Amino acid sequence: MTMSDGLLCTAAILLAITAFAHSLLGERRLIGPLLARREGVLASDLARVVLRFAWHLTSVTWAVLALILVQLARDPATARFWAAVGTGWPSLASAVRRDRYSWPHVGWPLLAGIGIAALLSLRY
């Protein structure tokens, strides 16, 4: 393993720790208490769902980036696969996610396009 590969893996480990802490601690110390207030814009069910979802989507993004960095260090040829899958599935899942507060989300066509394009890139 080269120094560059080791540094990529170090960055990946730090990203994974950050993603986990961001979701866990953010939910306990920021998002949960904030959303419990239900005042101002947070009186809206839609605003609360979007805020929580976006908070955790940031963590998922960091976790995917960590996976891509590890693959770049281990086997650069497979990094393309993991970049496409790691971008495609969360984007597509975000687009089709339905609940009584957030569907249809204004960004669903873009999220669906991102997911479909990323996943189709694996075929062509």
Side-chain angles (χ1 to χ4, degrees):
M1 180 178 282
T2 68
M3 175 71 114
S4 177
D5 293 341
L7 291 169
L8 283 175
C9 289
T10 299
I13 291 167
L14 294 173
L15 269 168
I17 292 168
T18 301
F20 179 77
H22 184 261
S23 271
L24 182 69
L25 297 176
E27 184 65 40
R28 286 185 182 169
R29 296 184 178 178
L30 179 66
I31 300 300
L34 183 66
L35 298 181
R37 298 181 72 183
R38 294 182 180 256
E39 49 191 47
V41 70
L42 296 177
S44 162
D45 289 334
L46 175 60
R48 288 197 319 280
V49 167
V50 168
L51 182 61
R52 176 171 274 138
F53 187 76
W55 182 268
H56 293 294
L57 187 58
T58 302
S59 298
V60 170
T61 302
W62 289 335
V64 167
L65 185 54
L67 176 64
I68 292 167
L69 291 179
V70 167
Q71 284 307 117
L72 279 171
R74 292 183 63 222
D75 182 9
T78 64
R80 183 178 193 279
F81 170 82
W82 288 108
V85 169
T87 301
W89 283 117
S91 296
L92 200 53
S94 298
V96 300
R97 180 181 176 272
R98 295 180 187 195
D99 61 40
R100 65 186 180 125
Y101 305 118
S102 66
W103 187 259
H105 184 280
V106 68
W108 81 263
L110 293 171
L111 291 166
I114 292 164
I116 291 167
L119 293 172
L120 281 177
S121 76
L122 296 173
R123 183 174 175 134
Y124 300 103

